[in-house]
Amino acid sequence: ELEGKWTISAHSYRGEQKDTKGEVEFGKDTVTFRIGRKPFTATARVDATKKPAQIDLSYQDGPAKGMTFKGIYRLEGGKFVRLHESELV
């Protein structure tokens, strides 16, 4: 259900709104972020059967290279909304 391209229209980090524009493309097990000049990738583990649905992103390159971020997501009116684990506390 997530495969394909999504436009980044809003982004916040630890409650602070960021001016981030770009695109995210979901493949079967990978995610490619196109923000700024150079794209970067992550391996995605998605479990849509959980409530709320879960997504873990393990970054292969880019600013978070070598890091894994756990989160939850939902599809809302044609939008993909993801919450990072730091925003869940």
Side-chain angles (χ1 to χ4, degrees):
E1 71 182 327
L2 296 178
E3 288 186 35
K5 292 182 181 179
W6 297 81
T7 300
I8 299 172
S9 58
H11 174 245
S12 65
Y13 182 70
R14 295 187 177 174
E16 184 179 328
Q17 191 68 26
K18 303 288 185 179
D19 186 26
T20 304
K21 302 295 180 208
E23 182 179 86
V24 178
E25 184 172 0
F26 282 87
K28 183 178 179 189
D29 297 317
T30 61
V31 181
T32 302
F33 296 86
R34 291 179 183 85
I35 302 167
R37 293 183 183 175
K38 186 177 178 187
F40 54 95
T41 59
T43 301
R45 281 196 337 242
V46 176
D47 189 344
T49 64
K50 301 258 176 137
K51 299 296 179 213
Q54 297 179 358
I55 183 169
D56 298 346
L57 299 175
S58 299
Y59 291 85
Q60 272 63 62
D61 48 31
K65 181 178 180 177
M67 300 173 77
T68 298
F69 295 97
K70 297 178 182 290
I72 59 172
Y73 76 93
R74 68 181 180 272
L75 298 176
E76 182 177 277
K79 294 181 181 180
F80 169 73
V81 179
R82 178 180 178 269
L83 294 175
H84 181 278
E85 62 190 327
S86 68
E87 297 172 314
L88 301 175
V89 288

Short mmCIF file of all heavy atoms in Angstrom, two decimals, residues 21-73:
data_model
loop_
_atom_site.label_atom_id
_atom_site.label_comp_id
_atom_site.label_asym_id
_atom_site.label_seq_id
_atom_site.Cartn_x
_atom_site.Cartn_y
_atom_site.Cartn_z
N LYS A 21 11.18 20.11 1.73
CA LYS A 21 10.40 19.75 0.55
C LYS A 21 11.18 18.68 -0.19
O LYS A 21 12.40 18.68 -0.23
CB LYS A 21 10.19 20.96 -0.36
CG LYS A 21 9.50 22.13 0.31
CD LYS A 21 8.09 21.79 0.71
CE LYS A 21 7.44 22.99 1.37
NZ LYS A 21 6.43 22.65 2.31
N GLY A 22 10.48 17.75 -0.78
CA GLY A 22 11.13 16.69 -1.52
C GLY A 22 10.18 15.58 -1.85
O GLY A 22 8.96 15.77 -1.90
N GLU A 23 10.76 14.40 -2.04
CA GLU A 23 9.98 13.25 -2.45
C GLU A 23 10.52 11.99 -1.77
O GLU A 23 11.71 11.88 -1.50
CB GLU A 23 10.11 13.11 -3.97
CG GLU A 23 9.32 12.00 -4.58
CD GLU A 23 9.51 11.97 -6.08
OE1 GLU A 23 10.49 11.35 -6.54
OE2 GLU A 23 8.68 12.58 -6.78
N VAL A 24 9.62 11.08 -1.48
CA VAL A 24 9.97 9.78 -0.91
C VAL A 24 9.39 8.73 -1.85
O VAL A 24 8.22 8.82 -2.23
CB VAL A 24 9.38 9.59 0.50
CG1 VAL A 24 9.71 8.23 1.04
CG2 VAL A 24 9.85 10.67 1.44
N GLU A 25 10.22 7.75 -2.22
CA GLU A 25 9.73 6.67 -3.07
C GLU A 25 9.91 5.34 -2.36
O GLU A 25 11.03 4.96 -2.01
CB GLU A 25 10.47 6.65 -4.41
CG GLU A 25 9.92 5.61 -5.35
CD GLU A 25 10.50 5.68 -6.75
OE1 GLU A 25 11.35 6.55 -7.01
OE2 GLU A 25 10.09 4.85 -7.58
N PHE A 26 8.80 4.66 -2.14
CA PHE A 26 8.80 3.36 -1.49
C PHE A 26 8.86 2.27 -2.54
O PHE A 26 8.03 2.23 -3.46
CB PHE A 26 7.53 3.14 -0.66
CG PHE A 26 7.54 3.85 0.66
CD1 PHE A 26 7.11 5.15 0.78
CD2 PHE A 26 7.98 3.18 1.80
CE1 PHE A 26 7.11 5.79 2.01
CE2 PHE A 26 7.99 3.82 3.03
CZ PHE A 26 7.56 5.13 3.13
N GLY A 27 9.84 1.37 -2.41
CA GLY A 27 9.88 0.14 -3.18
C GLY A 27 9.40 -0.98 -2.28
O GLY A 27 8.81 -0.72 -1.22
N LYS A 28 9.67 -2.22 -2.66
CA LYS A 28 9.21 -3.34 -1.84
C LYS A 28 9.81 -3.31 -0.44
O LYS A 28 9.09 -3.42 0.55
CB LYS A 28 9.54 -4.66 -2.53
CG LYS A 28 9.01 -5.85 -1.77
CD LYS A 28 9.29 -7.13 -2.48
CE LYS A 28 8.74 -8.26 -1.61
NZ LYS A 28 9.12 -9.55 -2.08
N ASP A 29 11.13 -3.18 -0.34
CA ASP A 29 11.81 -3.17 0.96
C ASP A 29 12.71 -1.95 1.14
O ASP A 29 13.46 -1.90 2.11
CB ASP A 29 12.67 -4.43 1.13
CG ASP A 29 11.83 -5.70 1.12
OD1 ASP A 29 10.77 -5.70 1.76
OD2 ASP A 29 12.24 -6.68 0.47
N THR A 30 12.67 -1.01 0.23
CA THR A 30 13.56 0.15 0.30
C THR A 30 12.77 1.44 0.19
O THR A 30 11.65 1.47 -0.31
CB THR A 30 14.61 0.13 -0.83
OG1 THR A 30 13.93 0.17 -2.09
CG2 THR A 30 15.50 -1.09 -0.75
N VAL A 31 13.40 2.49 0.68
CA VAL A 31 12.84 3.83 0.58
C VAL A 31 13.96 4.74 0.06
O VAL A 31 15.08 4.69 0.55
CB VAL A 31 12.37 4.36 1.95
CG1 VAL A 31 11.77 5.75 1.82
CG2 VAL A 31 11.38 3.42 2.59
N THR A 32 13.65 5.55 -0.94
CA THR A 32 14.61 6.53 -1.45
C THR A 32 14.06 7.92 -1.15
O THR A 32 12.93 8.23 -1.52
CB THR A 32 14.84 6.36 -2.96
OG1 THR A 32 15.30 5.04 -3.21
CG2 THR A 32 15.85 7.37 -3.48
N PHE A 33 14.87 8.71 -0.47
CA PHE A 33 14.51 10.08 -0.14
C PHE A 33 15.21 11.01 -1.12
O PHE A 33 16.42 10.88 -1.33
CB PHE A 33 14.96 10.44 1.28
CG PHE A 33 14.28 9.64 2.35
CD1 PHE A 33 14.78 8.40 2.73
CD2 PHE A 33 13.14 10.11 2.96
CE1 PHE A 33 14.16 7.66 3.72
CE2 PHE A 33 12.51 9.38 3.95
CZ PHE A 33 13.02 8.15 4.32
N ARG A 34 14.47 11.92 -1.72
CA ARG A 34 15.05 12.93 -2.60
C ARG A 34 14.76 14.29 -1.97
O ARG A 34 13.72 14.88 -2.19
CB ARG A 34 14.46 12.82 -4.00
CG ARG A 34 14.89 11.57 -4.71
CD ARG A 34 14.29 11.43 -6.11
NE ARG A 34 14.69 10.17 -6.71
CZ ARG A 34 14.06 9.01 -6.50
NH1 ARG A 34 13.00 8.97 -5.73
NH2 ARG A 34 14.48 7.91 -7.08
N ILE A 35 15.73 14.71 -1.17
CA ILE A 35 15.64 15.99 -0.47
C ILE A 35 16.96 16.70 -0.71
O ILE A 35 18.01 16.19 -0.35
CB ILE A 35 15.43 15.78 1.05
CG1 ILE A 35 14.16 14.97 1.31
CG2 ILE A 35 15.38 17.12 1.77
CD1 ILE A 35 14.02 14.46 2.72
N GLY A 36 16.91 17.85 -1.33
CA GLY A 36 18.16 18.53 -1.65
C GLY A 36 18.82 17.91 -2.86
O GLY A 36 18.17 17.35 -3.73
N ARG A 37 20.15 17.96 -2.88
CA ARG A 37 20.90 17.55 -4.06
C ARG A 37 21.02 16.06 -4.27
O ARG A 37 20.86 15.56 -5.37
CB ARG A 37 22.33 18.11 -3.98
CG ARG A 37 22.40 19.58 -4.08
CD ARG A 37 23.84 19.98 -4.06
NE ARG A 37 23.98 21.41 -4.07
CZ ARG A 37 25.12 22.02 -3.96
NH1 ARG A 37 26.23 21.31 -3.80
NH2 ARG A 37 25.18 23.32 -3.99
N LYS A 38 21.35 15.33 -3.21
CA LYS A 38 21.68 13.92 -3.37
C LYS A 38 20.65 13.02 -2.70
O LYS A 38 20.35 13.18 -1.52
CB LYS A 38 23.06 13.67 -2.75
CG LYS A 38 23.57 12.28 -2.99
CD LYS A 38 24.96 12.09 -2.43
CE LYS A 38 25.40 10.65 -2.66
NZ LYS A 38 26.65 10.36 -2.02
N PRO A 39 20.11 12.05 -3.45
CA PRO A 39 19.17 11.11 -2.83
C PRO A 39 19.87 10.20 -1.83
O PRO A 39 21.08 9.96 -1.93
CB PRO A 39 18.62 10.31 -4.00
CG PRO A 39 19.51 10.56 -5.15
CD PRO A 39 20.32 11.78 -4.85
N PHE A 40 19.13 9.71 -0.84
CA PHE A 40 19.67 8.73 0.09
C PHE A 40 18.63 7.66 0.33
O PHE A 40 17.45 7.86 0.09
CB PHE A 40 20.18 9.37 1.39
CG PHE A 40 19.20 10.24 2.11
CD1 PHE A 40 18.43 9.72 3.14
CD2 PHE A 40 19.06 11.58 1.78
CE1 PHE A 40 17.54 10.53 3.83
CE2 PHE A 40 18.17 12.38 2.46
CZ PHE A 40 17.41 11.86 3.48
N THR A 41 19.10 6.49 0.78
CA THR A 41 18.22 5.32 0.86
C THR A 41 18.18 4.71 2.26
O THR A 41 19.09 4.91 3.06
CB THR A 41 18.68 4.23 -0.13
OG1 THR A 41 20.01 3.87 0.18
CG2 THR A 41 18.58 4.69 -1.56
N ALA A 42 17.12 3.96 2.47
CA ALA A 42 16.94 3.22 3.72
C ALA A 42 16.24 1.90 3.40
O ALA A 42 15.51 1.80 2.42
CB ALA A 42 16.09 4.02 4.71
N THR A 43 16.49 0.92 4.23
CA THR A 43 15.74 -0.33 4.17
C THR A 43 14.52 -0.14 5.07
O THR A 43 14.64 0.39 6.17
CB THR A 43 16.59 -1.50 4.69
OG1 THR A 43 17.76 -1.60 3.88
CG2 THR A 43 15.82 -2.80 4.63
N ALA A 44 13.37 -0.56 4.58
CA ALA A 44 12.13 -0.37 5.34
C ALA A 44 11.57 -1.72 5.78
O ALA A 44 11.51 -2.66 4.99
CB ALA A 44 11.10 0.35 4.48
N ARG A 45 11.19 -1.79 7.04
CA ARG A 45 10.42 -2.92 7.56
C ARG A 45 9.06 -2.37 7.95
O ARG A 45 8.95 -1.54 8.86
CB ARG A 45 11.12 -3.54 8.77
CG ARG A 45 12.26 -4.44 8.41
CD ARG A 45 12.70 -5.34 9.56
NE ARG A 45 12.35 -4.85 10.88
CZ ARG A 45 13.22 -4.53 11.82
NH1 ARG A 45 14.50 -4.66 11.61
NH2 ARG A 45 12.81 -4.10 12.98
N VAL A 46 8.04 -2.84 7.26
CA VAL A 46 6.68 -2.34 7.47
C VAL A 46 5.81 -3.48 7.96
O VAL A 46 5.86 -4.58 7.45
CB VAL A 46 6.11 -1.78 6.14
CG1 VAL A 46 4.66 -1.35 6.31
CG2 VAL A 46 6.96 -0.63 5.62
N ASP A 47 5.02 -3.19 8.99
CA ASP A 47 4.04 -4.16 9.48
C ASP A 47 2.69 -3.46 9.58
O ASP A 47 2.38 -2.81 10.59
CB ASP A 47 4.46 -4.74 10.82
CG ASP A 47 3.58 -5.91 11.24
OD1 ASP A 47 2.48 -6.09 10.65
OD2 ASP A 47 3.98 -6.64 12.15
N ALA A 48 1.93 -3.57 8.51
CA ALA A 48 0.61 -2.92 8.44
C ALA A 48 -0.44 -3.67 9.24
O ALA A 48 -1.54 -3.14 9.45
CB ALA A 48 0.18 -2.78 6.99
N THR A 49 -0.12 -4.89 9.71
CA THR A 49 -1.10 -5.65 10.48
C THR A 49 -1.18 -5.18 11.92
O THR A 49 -2.16 -5.45 12.61
CB THR A 49 -0.77 -7.16 10.47
OG1 THR A 49 0.48 -7.38 11.13
CG2 THR A 49 -0.72 -7.70 9.05
N LYS A 50 -0.16 -4.49 12.39
CA LYS A 50 -0.15 -3.96 13.76
C LYS A 50 -1.05 -2.73 13.83
O LYS A 50 -1.25 -2.03 12.85
CB LYS A 50 1.27 -3.58 14.19
CG LYS A 50 2.24 -4.72 14.15
CD LYS A 50 2.48 -5.26 15.53
CE LYS A 50 3.39 -6.46 15.43
NZ LYS A 50 4.41 -6.54 16.38
N LYS A 51 -1.55 -2.46 15.00
CA LYS A 51 -2.38 -1.27 15.23
C LYS A 51 -1.76 -0.45 16.34
O LYS A 51 -1.76 -0.90 17.48
CB LYS A 51 -3.82 -1.67 15.59
CG LYS A 51 -4.52 -2.44 14.51
CD LYS A 51 -4.70 -1.63 13.26
CE LYS A 51 -5.40 -2.48 12.19
NZ LYS A 51 -5.02 -2.20 10.86
N PRO A 52 -1.17 0.69 16.09
CA PRO A 52 -1.04 1.32 14.78
C PRO A 52 0.02 0.61 13.93
O PRO A 52 0.87 -0.11 14.45
CB PRO A 52 -0.60 2.74 15.11
CG PRO A 52 0.08 2.64 16.43
CD PRO A 52 -0.60 1.53 17.16
N ALA A 53 -0.06 0.82 12.61
CA ALA A 53 0.90 0.22 11.67
C ALA A 53 2.31 0.71 12.01
O ALA A 53 2.50 1.85 12.42
CB ALA A 53 0.53 0.61 10.25
N GLN A 54 3.29 -0.19 11.86
CA GLN A 54 4.67 0.13 12.24
C GLN A 54 5.58 0.20 11.03
O GLN A 54 5.39 -0.53 10.06
CB GLN A 54 5.20 -0.91 13.22
CG GLN A 54 4.44 -0.94 14.51
CD GLN A 54 4.95 -1.99 15.47
OE1 GLN A 54 5.86 -2.75 15.18
NE2 GLN A 54 4.33 -2.05 16.64
N ILE A 55 6.58 1.07 11.11
CA ILE A 55 7.59 1.18 10.06
C ILE A 55 8.94 1.49 10.72
O ILE A 55 9.04 2.39 11.54
CB ILE A 55 7.22 2.25 9.02
CG1 ILE A 55 8.26 2.29 7.89
CG2 ILE A 55 7.01 3.62 9.65
CD1 ILE A 55 7.83 3.11 6.69
N ASP A 56 9.94 0.68 10.38
CA ASP A 56 11.31 0.89 10.85
C ASP A 56 12.16 1.21 9.63
O ASP A 56 12.10 0.49 8.63
CB ASP A 56 11.86 -0.35 11.54
CG ASP A 56 11.09 -0.74 12.79
OD1 ASP A 56 10.29 0.08 13.27
OD2 ASP A 56 11.28 -1.87 13.26
N LEU A 57 12.95 2.27 9.70
CA LEU A 57 13.81 2.68 8.60
C LEU A 57 15.26 2.58 9.04
O LEU A 57 15.66 3.19 10.03
CB LEU A 57 13.49 4.11 8.17
CG LEU A 57 12.08 4.36 7.65
CD1 LEU A 57 11.86 5.84 7.37
CD2 LEU A 57 11.81 3.54 6.40
N SER A 58 16.05 1.78 8.30
CA SER A 58 17.49 1.63 8.55
C SER A 58 18.22 2.29 7.39
O SER A 58 18.16 1.82 6.25
CB SER A 58 17.87 0.15 8.64
OG SER A 58 17.19 -0.47 9.70
N TYR A 59 18.92 3.38 7.67
CA TYR A 59 19.53 4.20 6.63
C TYR A 59 20.86 3.65 6.15
O TYR A 59 21.74 3.35 6.94
CB TYR A 59 19.69 5.64 7.13
CG TYR A 59 18.35 6.32 7.28
CD1 TYR A 59 17.61 6.19 8.45
CD2 TYR A 59 17.82 7.08 6.25
CE1 TYR A 59 16.37 6.78 8.58
CE2 TYR A 59 16.58 7.67 6.37
CZ TYR A 59 15.86 7.53 7.54
OH TYR A 59 14.63 8.11 7.66
N GLN A 60 21.01 3.53 4.81
CA GLN A 60 22.24 3.06 4.19
C GLN A 60 23.21 4.21 3.90
O GLN A 60 24.40 4.00 3.80
CB GLN A 60 21.95 2.35 2.86
CG GLN A 60 21.66 0.87 3.02
CD GLN A 60 20.42 0.59 3.84
OE1 GLN A 60 19.33 0.98 3.46
NE2 GLN A 60 20.57 -0.06 4.96
N ASP A 61 22.69 5.40 3.73
CA ASP A 61 23.53 6.56 3.44
C ASP A 61 22.76 7.82 3.85
O ASP A 61 21.72 7.74 4.48
CB ASP A 61 23.95 6.61 1.96
CG ASP A 61 22.80 6.38 0.99
OD1 ASP A 61 21.66 6.76 1.31
OD2 ASP A 61 23.04 5.84 -0.09
N GLY A 62 23.31 8.97 3.52
CA GLY A 62 22.67 10.22 3.90
C GLY A 62 23.01 10.62 5.33
O GLY A 62 23.86 10.00 5.97
N PRO A 63 22.32 11.63 5.85
CA PRO A 63 22.66 12.16 7.17
C PRO A 63 22.45 11.20 8.34
O PRO A 63 23.04 11.37 9.39
CB PRO A 63 21.75 13.39 7.31
CG PRO A 63 20.70 13.25 6.27
CD PRO A 63 21.25 12.35 5.20
N ALA A 64 21.64 10.17 8.15
CA ALA A 64 21.38 9.21 9.23
C ALA A 64 22.00 7.84 8.94
O ALA A 64 21.58 6.83 9.50
CB ALA A 64 19.87 9.07 9.44
N LYS A 65 23.03 7.80 8.10
CA LYS A 65 23.67 6.55 7.70
C LYS A 65 24.03 5.70 8.93
O LYS A 65 24.59 6.19 9.90
CB LYS A 65 24.95 6.84 6.91
CG LYS A 65 25.65 5.59 6.45
CD LYS A 65 26.89 5.90 5.64
CE LYS A 65 27.56 4.62 5.20
NZ LYS A 65 28.71 4.90 4.34
N GLY A 66 23.64 4.41 8.86
CA GLY A 66 23.94 3.48 9.93
C GLY A 66 22.95 3.50 11.09
O GLY A 66 23.06 2.70 12.00
N MET A 67 21.97 4.37 11.03
CA MET A 67 20.99 4.48 12.12
C MET A 67 19.66 3.83 11.72
O MET A 67 19.31 3.80 10.54
CB MET A 67 20.77 5.94 12.48
CG MET A 67 22.04 6.63 12.94
SD MET A 67 21.81 8.40 13.16
CE MET A 67 20.94 8.41 14.72
N THR A 68 18.94 3.33 12.71
CA THR A 68 17.59 2.78 12.49
C THR A 68 16.62 3.56 13.35
O THR A 68 16.86 3.79 14.53
CB THR A 68 17.54 1.29 12.87
OG1 THR A 68 18.44 0.58 12.02
CG2 THR A 68 16.13 0.73 12.71
N PHE A 69 15.53 3.98 12.74
CA PHE A 69 14.49 4.72 13.44
C PHE A 69 13.19 3.93 13.37
O PHE A 69 12.73 3.55 12.30
CB PHE A 69 14.28 6.10 12.82
CG PHE A 69 15.47 6.99 12.97
CD1 PHE A 69 16.39 7.13 11.94
CD2 PHE A 69 15.68 7.70 14.14
CE1 PHE A 69 17.49 7.95 12.07
CE2 PHE A 69 16.78 8.52 14.29
CZ PHE A 69 17.68 8.64 13.25
N LYS A 70 12.61 3.69 14.53
CA LYS A 70 11.32 3.00 14.62
C LYS A 70 10.22 4.05 14.63
O LYS A 70 10.41 5.15 15.13
CB LYS A 70 11.26 2.16 15.89
CG LYS A 70 12.30 1.05 15.92
CD LYS A 70 12.22 0.28 17.23
CE LYS A 70 13.26 -0.79 17.29
NZ LYS A 70 13.01 -1.88 16.36
N GLY A 71 9.08 3.68 14.07
CA GLY A 71 7.98 4.62 14.06
C GLY A 71 6.67 3.93 13.75
O GLY A 71 6.60 2.72 13.56
N ILE A 72 5.63 4.72 13.72
CA ILE A 72 4.31 4.26 13.33
C ILE A 72 3.85 5.14 12.18
O ILE A 72 4.39 6.23 11.97
CB ILE A 72 3.30 4.31 14.50
CG1 ILE A 72 3.16 5.72 15.06
CG2 ILE A 72 3.72 3.32 15.60
CD1 ILE A 72 2.05 5.88 16.09
N TYR A 73 2.85 4.66 11.46
CA TYR A 73 2.33 5.46 10.35
C TYR A 73 0.85 5.22 10.16
O TYR A 73 0.29 4.26 10.68
CB TYR A 73 3.11 5.17 9.06
CG TYR A 73 2.73 3.87 8.40
CD1 TYR A 73 1.75 3.84 7.41
CD2 TYR A 73 3.35 2.68 8.75
CE1 TYR A 73 1.39 2.64 6.81
CE2 TYR A 73 3.00 1.48 8.15
CZ TYR A 73 2.02 1.48 7.18
OH TYR A 73 1.66 0.29 6.59
#
